[in-house]
Amino acid sequence: MKVKQSTPYLYVLPGLLLVMGFVYIPVFANFVYSFFSLSSYSRGMTCVGLKNYQRLCTDPIILVILRNNILYVLISLIVQVGFGTFLAILIESKLCGPLRVLYRNVFFFPALMSLTAVGLLWQFVYTPKMGLLNSLLRSIGLDSLQHAWLGEGQIAIFAIIAMSQWQFTGYITILMIVAIQKVPQEYYEAARIDGANSFQRVINITIPSVKEQLVVCSIITIIGAFKLFTEVYVTTSGGPGNSTQVLGTYLYQQAFLYDDLGMAASVGIVILIITFTISLLNLRIARSGEE
């Protein structure tokens, strides 16, 4: 049966319209709104040029926000990617034996939980008097290390970051396990014949073989760090005293607390630029791997 040349395009058209309607047009509209002053209670809007971006760059909170997002990136790269890769190598080694399936499920389970549920769960863990963490410290005689973990400005952001590491390290571990399982066993057998020990096999075979997956996991982690919102909103809402503000919560407050939609749009564009740049970097690295 002869198929018309236009038939494949008709199959693609509904999906294309959905993507245009729910992704690209809202992004373009958000970009336009970032140059206006507008409110959800007013029909009119006033063009203010780059003033929203100027206000964003000169707001004293922006330094705290960037510090928190960058802290999240650095700690997540070390714990989720670094320690997650170590766990993946350990689970796939002979040390874990038949228990490796159990370990995979145990480490991956937190990633299945909703962010809101995890935030509420860790609020109980961090409760000053009755919380699990302070109770544990008291029981082992480390009373001096007790804190109001989410109530002290200097440590609240680290408490939130620790919560995220607990949830997502297992997810990165599973991604790395998949990559490790694809490494041909012949490489390891040849290395054993040459007298290489376990550490040398990991350094010279495993790590180079999963390098591309390692890069992808790093990019996923960095992009996730700049889209951070739910964990902070559920636990501290950016407090105490804006000490745990991140780009996501700052955008939410500008839009829904202060009704400054133009400012919120400019924050959204900044997040888009950061994540889009990192995505392009991801694609470039992936293509260089194919070459």
Side-chain angles (χ1 to χ4, degrees):
M1 185 177 69
K2 187 176 181 181
V3 179
K4 290 183 179 178
Q5 192 173 5
S6 61
T7 300
Y9 297 101
L10 292 177
Y11 282 112
V12 174
L13 187 60
L16 180 64
L17 291 175
L18 284 173
V19 172
M20 291 293 292
F22 289 100
V23 178
Y24 291 104
I25 291 177
V27 168
F28 178 74
N30 190 76
F31 178 71
V32 173
Y33 289 151
S34 70
F35 297 104
F36 287 83
S37 173
L38 67 159
S39 164
S40 56
Y41 299 103
S42 174
R43 296 180 61 182
M45 55 185 190
T46 307
C47 181
V48 295
L50 295 172
K51 280 190 177 178
N52 286 329
Y53 292 98
Q54 186 181 4
R55 286 170 52 206
L56 175 62
C57 294
T58 55
D59 192 332
I61 301 175
I62 193 65
L63 294 177
V64 177
I65 290 172
L66 291 176
R67 185 205 66 174
N68 289 341
N69 277 108
I70 291 172
L71 268 176
Y72 192 97
V73 169
L74 294 176
I75 295 175
S76 296
L77 285 175
I78 294 170
V79 178
Q80 291 182 29
V81 180
F83 185 62
T85 303
F86 171 75
L87 279 179
I89 293 170
L90 197 62
I91 290 172
E92 289 305 298
S93 70
K94 290 182 179 178
L95 291 174
C96 292
L99 292 178
R100 59 168 58 99
V101 176
L102 174 66
Y103 290 137
R104 287 175 200 155
N105 290 308
V106 168
F107 285 118
F108 186 64
F109 180 73
L112 299 176
M113 300 173 66
S114 78
L115 292 172
T116 306
V118 170
L120 294 173
L121 171 70
W122 280 80
Q123 270 191 329
F124 289 115
V125 173
Y126 288 138
T127 299
K129 290 186 178 178
M130 303 294 292
L132 178 65
L133 184 54
N134 279 350
S135 299
L136 179 65
L137 290 171
R138 276 196 302 272
S139 66
I140 59 177
L142 296 175
D143 299 54
S144 60
L145 295 180
Q146 292 181 98
H147 289 280
W149 299 99
L150 297 175
E152 297 180 21
Q154 292 182 338
I155 60 173
I157 187 63
F158 293 101
I160 295 171
I161 293 173
M163 177 185 74
S164 296
Q165 309 314 307
W166 172 83
Q167 184 173 22
F168 293 116
T169 299
Y171 174 68
I172 297 296
T173 301
I174 292 298
L175 292 180
M176 294 309 302
I177 284 175
V178 172
I180 291 171
Q181 288 176 342
K182 291 181 180 178
V183 180
Q185 290 301 311
E186 291 80 4
Y187 294 174
Y188 295 110
E189 291 171 7
R192 285 191 192 95
I193 293 172
D194 290 340
N197 57 34
S198 299
F199 180 75
Q200 290 171 328
R201 291 198 293 273
V202 168
I203 295 298
N204 297 313
I205 298 176
T206 306
I207 299 297
S209 300
V210 301
K211 182 178 64 178
E212 292 174 12
Q213 182 77 334
L214 209 52
V215 172
V216 171
C217 288
S218 300
I219 300 301
I220 290 173
T221 303
I222 294 170
I223 291 175
F226 281 102
K227 294 195 301 183
L228 180 66
F229 170 73
T230 308
E231 296 93 323
V232 177
Y233 182 74
V234 172
T235 51
T236 64
S237 297
N242 289 318
S243 63
T244 59
Q245 285 281 11
V246 291
L247 285 168
T249 54
Y250 186 73
L251 184 154
Y252 175 84
Q253 289 184 350
Q254 295 300 320
F256 300 107
L257 294 184
Y258 308 135
D259 197 28
D260 193 346
L261 300 182
M263 184 68 169
S266 64
V267 178
I269 292 300
V270 169
I271 296 174
L272 175 68
I273 291 171
I274 293 172
T275 54
F276 185 71
T277 304
I278 294 172
S279 297
L280 284 180
L281 180 65
N282 180 18
L283 290 173
R284 185 165 185 175
I285 292 172
R287 286 174 182 169
S288 67
E290 291 174 1
E291 291 169 0

